[in-house]
Amino acid sequence: MFEARRLPTAAAILSAAVTMTVPAQAIDLTGAWASQGDLCKLVFTNKGKSLSFTELSDLYGSGFIIDGDRITGKAAKCRITSRKQNGDNLDLNASCATSIMTQDVSFILKVIDDNNIARVIPEIENMQIKYTRCSF
């Protein structure tokens, strides 16, 4: 015999199960990101379908380019080895190489909106470096 008092409990369990099985929408970070959006054309150059840094990009701020599992900075190239989305935060682990050494690096990126993110520096309280996606 069906008991009406069990209905709210069953509905709550079913709702939680459905919510847990629906994957969160992945954050798309593809593109060039600059510390100052109005200086994108001074930090990056677009040659055909290829983005790269301008020769004097360091004079106009910092930035990086994300393409798939690759992150390219002015001095380092990284390959994302793992990513975990936690709400608006994206925890990235990457294997990075410079002209001198290789190193495993962890990043926390906070998504502000589709075209703005902040790199969270957990070692310094309330420290974030904001970046804007450049459009070419």
Side-chain angles (χ1 to χ4, degrees):
M1 183 170 181
F2 180 75
E3 294 183 29
R5 63 186 165 153
R6 291 187 187 182
L7 184 59
T9 304
I13 292 170
L14 180 59
S15 175
V18 168
T19 303
M20 289 187 294
T21 59
V22 175
Q25 188 159 13
I27 299 168
D28 180 20
L29 298 175
T30 301
W33 297 86
S35 56
Q36 294 184 341
D38 57 338
L39 298 177
C40 285
K41 292 187 190 259
L42 297 172
V43 177
F44 301 105
T45 183
N46 187 5
K47 296 179 181 177
K49 293 185 178 183
S50 176
L51 285 172
S52 60
F53 290 89
T54 62
E55 186 176 336
L56 299 175
S57 64
D58 295 344
L59 298 175
Y60 304 104
S62 64
F64 52 90
I65 301 167
I66 298 180
D67 184 18
D69 67 346
R70 303 279 183 206
I71 302 174
T72 304
K74 181 78 174 191
K77 294 185 180 192
C78 304
R79 185 179 60 81
I80 298 170
T81 55
S82 70
R83 64 177 70 209
K84 179 182 175 190
Q85 187 172 335
N86 185 7
D88 290 340
N89 288 342
L90 185 62
D91 299 336
L92 300 175
N93 291 311
S95 177
C96 299
T98 66
S99 61
I100 300 171
M101 62 183 263
T102 61
Q103 180 180 10
D104 290 334
V105 180
S106 295
F107 300 93
I108 300 173
L109 298 178
K110 179 178 181 169
V111 176
I112 298 167
D113 58 38
D114 286 345
N115 295 308
N116 294 284
I117 60 174
R119 180 173 179 197
V120 177
I121 313 295
E123 296 82 15
I124 304 171
E125 188 174 340
N126 298 321
M127 178 65 173
Q128 297 182 1
I129 303 169
K130 294 183 180 177
Y131 293 93
T132 300
R133 187 190 318 253
C134 298
S135 60
F136 291 96

